[in-house]
Amino acid sequence: MAQALVSPTSSPKPRTRAPMPPVLRGFLWAGIGFVIMNVIVDIVDPFRGHSFVTGPSATFGWVGAVIGWLLGVGVLEGVVLPMFGFRTNWQERTTGWKRYFEYSTDHKVIGLQYLGSALGGFLIAGFIAMLMRWELMSDHLTIFHYPSNYLSAVGIHGTIMMFSVANVALLGGFGNYMVPIMIGARGTAFPKLSGISVWLVPAGILTVLFSPLLGAWTTGWRGYEPLASQDANGILFYYLGVAALTTSTFIVALNMVTTIMFRRAPGMTWGRLPLFAWGQVTVGLLVLIWIPEIQTTFVLGLLEKLVPFNFFTATGSVLSYLELFWLFGHPEVYMIAVPAFALWNEIIPVMAQKSLFAREWAVIGLVFVMMLSGLVWAHHMFTNMRNSEILPFAFFTEMISIPTGFAYMAGIGTMWRGKVRLTTPMLLVLMSMFNFLIGGLTGVFLADPIVNLQLHDTFWVVGHFHYTVIGSVVFTALAGLYYWLPKMSGRMYSEFWGKFLSIALFLFFNLTFSQFFLLGLHGMNRWVPAYPAYLQPMNFEVSIFAFLLGFSFVAHFVHVIWAWVKGPKAADNPWQARTPEWFTSSPPPRENFPVQPEIVSSLYIYGAQQPVAVQMSAQQELAAASDFNKGGDSE
């Protein structure tokens, strides 16, 4: 079990409290750590007369700041002191809102911490997107006085959205919270490591956000070399911030894959594993394969800037960085999309109260998307490739649409001739499926080499990318948030406001990004803050709809927060779902289940003769109660 159960007759141990709130202490120690490491590097630096903060000193200072941050939020008392044999009376909070702002090993608290970090990153990156659209309302520079400042904003927006929102929300947030309960486990495989990894997310977000303090950088979210080596030192914080974010993602994947492999409840065979858990396995394997590759690439980019080694200059190999980045970059898209596919087919059977159609093919689709995702990367480089190299990558780019279609096949087959309850989560799933379909269809054009040469680096690519990432993943994340809100909070949202805001979000999203395709066809290049005057009217219109889109997102979050705090009480299983997370109280207790559940039938069989899926025997319940009264151990 995850922690010791305290006997009702025993007195609780005193809790050692930090002299200040853990987050505040983390900021203080981060500042101290940065200054100490920066001064040490300055002392040993053989070149005198430079500024106090240089590229090397900022890099080592950042390492000291992250260490101080992690120790300050509670890792010192929760991990470091016990690891070295020091006695401490520190205990985790088990109730109250303060536990979400300090180190924890409870996977549910960690999941909500990930969701909170993803929401914070989304709001920051979204605000920057509003500034970008404000700039693009005019055909000349207005609020950004230099193109480099605009490009820094583009890079910060993309980096935070990709690495701290898209990567984190479904995998780190819902994965940490729901997967252990869905598989009947009472905890995760590496709770302490997971408790550390979640605090790397705000560290990474703030690092990227404040990178312009060291100078503007112009590479966008991809950190392209050799351009990056010519930028100011702000590019160092791009590499370091992404290093923190990808490390957090790697730890989440390791924890999820290990937990699903070794912590499943009795009877939870691979054939009965929930679809969302299957999505976590496949995306976890993708992360474990490709995140080390991109981290190695970023280390080379960091060294190229600090030393430099000339890996990516004319004396090295100029295209190597692009190849190494996109070798990761397209699997990254499916790290984001695969959990969304899985969540579609988690929600649809519940809302249709109908057995999942072609479940085996849905799982096969997830697996083959994972396998093929590493074979399509070079279509991002058709403009830099020989003709003999283009055909294989164009072929595999078209092929990956087949296993992707399996997710649609399972979802549509389940809805076919079913009585679907059009709840807010179901509505958002349908919107997500539509948006991803548009993203896929517009991607077919980019997979065609001849067309790609015309559309490359235009707003067509930006529209395709946002339909694929935001249109599918963010809509699906909202669907998951509404679907699991009764489980996480014990309260229900307003169906009227949920549906109204979802429809508004869908309309403004499509009115914004559908016009990106027209802008691309008319010659609007991405990455440029100044453009030909004939494109200004359409850009002005797009910006207006973008502002309304941003307002719709904020309204959704306000509604969810209201429902979490003031919404009506929800039943333990309001959707009549059959996966194990709905067979415990809402919100779940610390150990998830009073006793270890046993899975005795498929989790996706609905109908008049529904077999029992999850059971806990009376003997088990009596044994658990006896163990609780004796003060039994926990894992």
Side-chain angles (χ1 to χ4, degrees):
M1 295 191 243
Q3 75 171 24
L5 295 173
V6 180
S7 171
T9 58
S10 62
S11 58
K13 295 180 180 179
R15 173 186 168 87
T16 302
R17 296 186 180 276
M20 64 177 66
V23 171
L24 182 59
R25 187 178 64 161
F27 278 116
L28 177 61
W29 289 10
I32 294 173
F34 183 90
V35 171
I36 291 175
M37 293 299 294
N38 191 88
V39 169
I40 292 174
V41 173
D42 278 345
I43 291 173
V44 301
D45 192 336
F47 300 100
R48 296 291 181 263
H50 54 62
S51 59
F52 177 66
V53 178
T54 63
S57 71
T59 301
F60 284 95
W62 177 86
V63 174
V66 171
I67 293 174
W69 165 254
L70 293 177
L71 294 177
V73 295
V75 174
L76 176 66
E77 298 90 352
V79 178
V80 176
L81 293 179
M83 184 172 61
F84 287 100
F86 293 96
R87 298 182 62 183
T88 175
N89 291 327
W90 181 85
Q91 290 182 343
E92 293 183 35
R93 298 179 193 268
T94 57
T95 58
W97 60 270
K98 292 183 179 180
R99 57 185 167 149
Y100 300 108
F101 295 91
E102 63 183 18
Y103 172 79
S104 175
T105 59
D106 184 348
H107 69 91
K108 297 178 290 297
V109 173
I110 294 170
L112 291 177
Q113 288 172 335
Y114 266 112
L115 285 175
S117 297
L119 174 59
F122 185 86
L123 293 175
I124 292 170
F127 176 74
I128 295 172
M130 297 300 101
L131 295 179
M132 291 158 52
R133 286 313 315 176
W134 189 359
E135 177 64 66
L136 293 176
M137 292 179 77
S138 302
D139 58 1
H140 56 277
L141 290 171
T142 53
I143 60 174
F144 294 99
H145 298 298
Y146 299 97
S148 59
N149 294 336
Y150 175 80
L151 290 174
S152 293
V154 172
I156 294 170
H157 164 78
T159 302
I160 293 177
M161 278 291 193
M162 287 299 293
F163 293 106
S164 74
V165 179
N167 267 6
V168 161
L170 294 181
L171 181 61
F174 292 132
N176 263 297
Y177 195 109
M178 288 299 169
V179 166
I181 316 178
M182 295 181 83
I183 64 174
R186 308 183 79 182
T188 59
F190 305 115
K192 290 187 176 182
L193 191 60
S194 184
I196 296 173
S197 70
V198 68
W199 290 102
L200 290 173
V201 178
I205 291 173
L206 293 175
T207 300
V208 174
L209 179 63
F210 292 115
S211 58
L213 293 177
L214 297 181
W217 46 286
T218 60
T219 64
W221 71 276
R222 301 163 297 186
Y224 275 168
E225 294 283 357
L227 178 61
S229 61
Q230 304 169 27
D231 279 335
N233 285 332
I235 192 66
L236 297 175
F237 271 16
Y238 161 80
Y239 287 133
L240 294 169
V242 174
L245 295 170
T246 52
T247 300
S248 178
T249 303
F250 183 87
I251 294 173
V252 171
L254 179 65
N255 194 27
M256 288 297 100
V257 172
T258 307
T259 299
I260 294 170
M261 289 181 67
F262 299 109
R263 289 294 185 93
R264 301 193 307 277
M268 179 63 78
T269 63
W270 290 101
R272 294 172 176 170
L273 195 67
L275 259 293
F276 187 66
W278 265 111
Q280 295 289 314
V281 171
T282 50
V283 76
L285 293 175
L286 267 177
V287 168
L288 295 178
I289 293 169
W290 293 111
I291 286 291
E293 185 272 337
I294 194 60
Q295 288 185 320
T296 303
T297 303
F298 286 160
V299 168
L300 294 176
L302 189 71
L303 293 174
E304 181 85 346
K305 177 66 178 175
L306 291 176
V307 178
F309 280 116
N310 295 319
F311 294 125
F312 308 114
T313 63
T315 58
S317 177
V318 177
L319 292 180
S320 289
Y321 184 92
L322 275 71
E323 293 167 341
L324 290 170
F325 180 88
W326 287 117
L327 191 59
F328 152 85
H330 217 81
E332 159 72 3
V333 173
Y334 291 101
M335 293 176 199
I336 297 167
V338 164
F341 300 161
L343 192 50
W344 295 347
N345 290 319
E346 195 67 53
I347 294 176
I348 290 174
V350 176
M351 296 306 167
Q353 287 292 289
K354 185 179 174 185
S355 302
L356 181 62
F357 175 75
R359 179 186 184 279
E360 294 80 4
W361 285 100
V363 173
I364 290 171
L366 298 178
V367 173
F368 272 85
V369 165
M370 176 195 72
M371 295 172 62
L372 291 174
S373 64
L375 301 175
V376 303
W377 56 275
H379 66 228
H380 294 273
M381 300 178 59
F382 280 164
T383 56
N384 305 102
M385 296 173 64
R386 293 185 293 269
N387 289 340
S388 60
E389 298 171 334
I390 288 178
L391 181 59
F393 289 103
F395 171 77
F396 283 115
T397 301
E398 300 285 0
M399 284 294 293
I400 202 169
S401 63
I402 296 176
T404 300
F406 292 175
Y408 278 88
M409 176 187 69
I412 294 173
T414 305
M415 290 185 285
W416 179 254
R417 302 184 71 177
K419 296 180 179 179
V420 179
R421 295 175 291 175
L422 200 60
T423 60
T424 300
M426 186 66 200
L427 187 62
L428 285 163
V429 166
L430 294 175
M431 292 173 176
S432 174
M433 295 177 72
F434 174 86
N435 291 337
F436 192 86
L437 180 63
I438 299 300
L441 292 175
T442 54
V444 171
F445 293 92
L446 299 176
D448 183 272
I450 304 303
V451 180
N452 182 286
L453 295 179
Q454 301 300 316
L455 298 177
H456 188 78
D457 269 341
T458 68
F459 257 58
W460 179 287
V461 181
V462 183
H464 157 73
F465 189 76
H466 281 78
Y467 263 97
T468 303
V469 176
I470 293 184
S472 65
V473 176
V474 176
F475 274 73
T476 303
L478 276 174
L481 188 58
Y482 279 108
Y483 176 66
W484 279 313
L485 180 68
K487 175 55 55 182
M488 296 187 292
S489 68
R491 295 181 179 272
M492 184 58 79
Y493 60 89
S494 165
E495 277 289 359
F496 170 79
W497 285 109
K499 291 177 182 177
F500 176 82
L501 293 174
S502 297
I503 293 171
L505 184 70
F506 180 74
L507 290 175
F508 293 138
F509 175 84
N510 281 277
L511 288 170
T512 299
F513 290 106
S514 63
Q515 297 189 77
F516 278 38
F517 302 124
L518 298 176
L519 283 168
L521 290 173
H522 282 82
M524 177 75 184
N525 289 106
R526 56 179 176 173
W527 308 98
V528 292
Y531 51 84
Y534 72 90
L535 295 170
Q536 192 271 336
M538 189 178 294
N539 268 301
F540 185 90
E541 181 181 332
V542 168
S543 293
I544 296 300
F545 286 126
F547 298 149
L548 294 172
L549 175 64
F551 177 79
S552 299
F553 275 119
V554 172
H556 263 292
F557 298 140
V558 170
H559 175 227
V560 169
I561 293 171
W562 168 85
W564 197 293
V565 178
K566 298 291 186 179
K569 294 286 186 179
D572 284 342
N573 189 0
W575 311 122
Q576 292 83 52
R578 293 174 53 78
T579 43
E581 77 268 27
W582 298 104
F583 287 84
T584 184
S585 60
S586 301
R590 179 65 170 85
E591 300 295 330
N592 298 337
F593 301 94
V595 295
Q596 177 67 67
E598 181 179 358
I599 313 302
V600 295
S601 71
S602 172
L603 304 174
Y604 295 98
I605 298 178
Y606 292 91
Q609 303 297 325
Q610 292 186 25
V612 176
V614 182
Q615 70 178 18
M616 291 175 281
S617 69
Q619 290 181 343
Q620 286 179 308
E621 292 179 2
L622 289 173
S626 175
D627 183 58
F628 178 83
N629 290 329
K630 294 177 182 177
D633 290 337
S634 63
E635 23 174 8

